[in-house]
Amino acid sequence: MTTYTDELNLLYPINFTALNKLTESIKDLDAILLFSKIKFHEMHSKLKLKNGIKCITRTRKVMAQWFNFGLGKLDRLLKLLEKKGLIKIQKGLWYGKKQLFIATVQEEDYAAINTKLFNFLTEETGCLKAAVLFARIAFAMRNTKITHNGKKWCCLTREDLAMLLSASLRTTDAVIQKLVNKKLILAQNLVFKKKRRLHFSIPEETLNTLSQKAMAIMNKTKPEKEGRVAPAAPKEGVLSHSCRFPLEEPAKNEVPIIISTNSIKENNNTVVRQDEAKNPSANHHDFSDITLNTINDKLNERQLLFLRSSMKRTIQSEQLTITNEKELFEELQYSILNPEQRRGVSSFKHAVSRCMQLLRQHMWRTPFGFHRYTEYGQKIKTYREDQFKMHEERKKEECISSIEITSKIAEYTEQGIRWAKQLNAYMDEQRQHGYSDSCLSIKIEFAKTKIVELIQKGVDSMEIKPYLPLEMV
């Protein structure tokens, strides 16, 4: 049987030492993930540049699909990595198609992230940041010695997690709440060294389920060809060698990259595949609309690119401050596709121009019905409602804690007044004995010490002052 530590080893597919080095230089989680993916493929690549440096070749579209990035975001991340001196990019042809030839500039011969396990965690958690956060908690759980109510806990600060995710504290809290809602982790404030600290734990059921799935994924093998002997299955209770970091499944270099086998028929205006010509319903994009005038039920790829580039040019030229460009892009799509929103519009370009004019005049508002009738709008609305509830709960906790502190201070004040009265009595008794009783001197010093300790705990000295002896006022 696998041990608790073995199960945790399967759930943090990240070399956090290498990741921290990249974080110091890049300070962008998406760029770090992209660099690690490039490094992984380069390790198993057989391609080399003219100067003998190993490289990989991919199209921008394929690289964007690795983490569901947009093409604009991919270009920004590649430019950032090239500016930091971590990669070198050359453009060229590969099997007759324009592609990027990318080589990393790093001495290490391993990738900071095990891509297969990381993709598995991303599917289970729902997003990239949640996968990184869950992996960090699993890594901390491996070496923790904190136990509470029969469970193991690890202590991680919100600030360190925010730095790891390259995000704000609010975004970090949202990712933590997302993992808690999915019952992947437990989060609780526990007192450690007289301070309340945030602690995390992974439920045993979640740990067993995810480790079994991860083991199944890592042990998957391709069907062997005839004449070859399949490798022996690992013994029960022994982890497969492929599970250990950073070894991963080699990249599939035997198959040429992005080679289309479908025949293509060309004319002056359109490019149509023969399989799509046989089945017109399979063609989702109207490539014959060169002027981009038609507005259908869904924007085609060229229209989306035109709309995105127009939005970015407007934001850059007018120096607009946009908190969420993706949300704005979805609102623009909804406004253009909704007949009620585009009254008086003659074409697609006309609709885009009107939207850009509203942005330039700072008059753009969220279209009516966006949060009700669109999937993205519903998610945004749900997310903000959850954030508001979390904010209200924090305010209640702060109020409760302030009430508890106030009650404790009142209790300390009563104790301080009692000690001040007692000190006054000791001083009177000492004056009657002519300052010769050593026992009274010890009691007086003890009372003074108690009063100083209570003042340090937050008691107002002005409330105790009327009860002190005249010599100490």
Side-chain angles (χ1 to χ4, degrees):
M1 296 295 292
T2 57
T3 63
Y4 182 83
T5 304
D6 293 335
E7 292 178 345
L8 285 173
N9 286 340
L10 295 171
L11 300 183
Y12 63 95
I14 299 176
N15 185 332
F16 285 101
T17 302
L19 189 71
N20 292 335
K21 292 182 181 179
L22 292 175
T23 304
E24 292 176 0
S25 59
I26 301 177
K27 297 180 181 179
D28 190 317
L29 180 61
D30 293 333
I32 293 172
L33 296 177
L34 180 61
F35 176 78
S36 300
K37 183 74 171 178
I38 294 172
K39 186 68 178 178
F40 163 69
H41 285 292
E42 185 191 71
M43 289 164 50
H44 307 286
S45 176
K46 299 179 181 178
L47 298 177
K48 291 185 178 180
L49 298 174
K50 292 182 179 180
N51 53 9
I53 299 176
K54 188 182 291 188
C55 70
I56 66 169
T57 176
R58 297 290 190 278
T59 62
R60 294 167 60 244
K61 186 175 181 180
V62 170
M63 295 178 68
Q65 291 175 352
W66 285 347
F67 301 107
N68 294 325
F69 293 157
L71 294 178
K73 183 175 182 179
L74 175 69
D75 294 337
R76 179 181 66 80
L77 297 177
L78 289 175
K79 186 176 181 180
L80 174 62
L81 293 175
E82 191 174 19
K83 183 178 179 181
K84 295 290 185 180
L86 295 174
I87 62 173
K88 292 183 179 180
I89 302 176
Q90 295 182 10
K91 296 181 181 179
L93 293 177
W94 178 257
Y95 285 87
K97 290 184 176 291
K98 291 182 179 180
Q99 298 202 28
L100 300 177
F101 291 81
I102 305 175
T104 63
V105 184
Q106 195 181 28
E107 297 179 356
E108 289 81 356
D109 58 349
Y110 60 86
I113 297 175
N114 185 316
T115 54
K116 180 180 286 189
L117 283 179
F118 185 76
N119 291 338
F120 161 71
L121 278 185
T122 304
E123 293 177 359
E124 293 292 332
T125 56
C127 67
L128 299 176
K129 293 185 184 299
V132 174
L133 182 60
F134 182 83
R136 182 65 184 90
I137 294 172
F139 177 74
M141 287 288 294
R142 184 177 182 272
N143 299 315
T144 186
K145 296 181 180 179
I146 304 173
T147 57
H148 178 68
N149 291 338
K151 296 180 181 178
K152 281 191 173 185
W153 297 81
C154 63
C155 180
L156 296 170
T157 63
R158 295 166 60 241
E159 290 76 11
D160 291 342
L161 295 178
M163 185 179 299
L164 174 66
L165 300 180
S166 302
S168 62
L169 291 177
R170 174 180 284 186
T171 302
T172 304
D173 291 339
V175 176
I176 293 173
Q177 189 62 38
K178 182 177 181 180
L179 293 176
V180 172
N181 293 339
K182 288 192 173 187
K183 298 181 180 180
L184 294 176
I185 64 170
L186 301 175
Q188 186 175 350
N189 285 324
L190 301 176
V191 177
F192 180 70
K193 292 184 179 180
K194 298 182 181 180
K195 291 184 179 180
R196 294 184 66 187
R197 301 173 186 264
L198 185 60
H199 289 69
F200 301 96
S201 179
I202 300 178
E204 292 186 3
E205 297 180 358
T206 301
L207 182 63
N208 294 335
T209 303
L210 293 181
S211 61
Q212 290 176 4
K213 290 182 180 179
M215 178 76 76
I217 289 175
M218 295 303 296
N219 288 337
K220 278 185 179 179
T221 56
K222 296 181 180 179
E224 297 295 328
K225 297 182 180 179
E226 294 184 3
R228 294 186 180 182
V229 180
K235 297 180 181 180
E236 184 178 0
V238 180
L239 291 176
S240 171
H241 182 71
S242 61
C243 297
R244 300 173 186 172
F245 186 88
L247 297 179
E248 306 177 26
E249 182 185 15
K252 303 175 179 60
N253 289 315
E254 296 83 2
V255 182
I257 304 171
I258 311 179
I259 298 180
S260 177
T261 57
N262 294 330
S263 58
I264 298 178
K265 181 172 61 176
E266 300 183 2
N267 56 33
N268 293 335
N269 297 326
T270 61
V271 179
V272 183
R273 295 185 184 275
Q274 289 185 357
D275 55 353
E276 293 177 347
K278 295 178 183 178
N279 185 12
S281 61
N283 187 6
H284 299 285
H285 308 295
D286 184 12
F287 292 99
S288 62
D289 184 17
I290 299 176
T291 57
L292 297 176
N293 287 328
T294 307
I295 301 179
N296 297 320
D297 296 337
K298 185 178 180 181
L299 299 182
N300 59 43
E301 187 174 355
R302 292 183 61 214
Q303 289 175 332
L304 290 173
L305 292 175
F306 181 86
L307 177 60
R308 188 182 296 277
S309 61
S310 300
M311 182 189 74
K312 290 192 173 183
R313 282 198 305 270
T314 302
I315 293 174
Q316 186 175 4
S317 62
E318 299 297 327
Q319 295 182 352
L320 302 177
T321 303
I322 307 297
T323 56
N324 191 337
E325 290 189 9
K326 180 173 177 56
E327 183 177 357
L328 175 60
F329 185 68
E330 295 291 336
E331 291 178 0
L332 292 172
Q333 288 187 66
Y334 175 76
S335 177
I336 294 173
L337 292 174
N338 191 350
E340 297 296 328
Q341 300 286 338
R342 64 169 192 265
R343 289 182 180 179
V345 174
S346 59
S347 64
F348 169 75
K349 284 189 176 181
H350 184 190
V352 174
S353 299
R354 190 171 72 170
C355 293
M356 297 304 108
Q357 182 67 17
L358 291 175
L359 285 176
R360 284 191 289 270
Q361 295 175 355
H362 301 276
M363 295 177 61
W364 178 260
R365 300 291 182 271
T366 301
F368 178 78
F370 172 75
H371 293 111
R372 181 181 298 179
Y373 301 113
T374 64
E375 182 179 356
Y376 185 85
Q378 292 172 359
K379 291 181 180 178
I380 289 291
K381 183 179 179 182
T382 305
Y383 170 77
R384 289 174 179 167
E385 289 176 352
D386 293 341
Q387 290 296 310
F388 180 76
K389 290 179 181 178
M390 291 171 58
H391 177 66
E392 292 295 324
E393 290 177 358
R394 289 197 199 97
K395 287 173 62 178
K396 290 180 181 178
E397 291 180 358
E398 291 175 359
C399 291
I400 293 172
S401 61
S402 63
I403 292 172
E404 292 177 352
I405 293 172
T406 304
S407 62
K408 287 184 179 180
I409 291 176
E411 182 181 349
Y412 293 152
T413 303
E414 292 179 1
Q415 293 179 9
I417 293 173
R418 288 198 300 269
W419 277 109
K421 291 180 179 180
Q422 190 67 36
L423 178 62
N424 200 353
Y426 289 153
M427 295 287 286
D428 291 340
E429 188 176 352
Q430 190 182 49
R431 281 193 293 270
Q432 293 175 4
H433 287 78
Y435 298 94
S436 60
D437 194 343
S438 60
C439 182
L440 284 174
S441 299
I442 295 173
K443 291 181 179 180
I444 290 171
E445 291 299 326
F446 183 77
K448 289 180 180 179
T449 304
K450 284 292 183 181
I451 292 173
V452 172
E453 289 179 356
L454 292 172
I455 291 175
Q456 290 177 351
K457 290 182 179 180
V459 175
D460 188 0
S461 60
M462 298 302 295
E463 296 185 9
I464 303 177
K465 188 175 180 180
Y467 303 96
L468 292 173
L470 295 176
E471 294 84 345
M472 297 184 60
V473 174

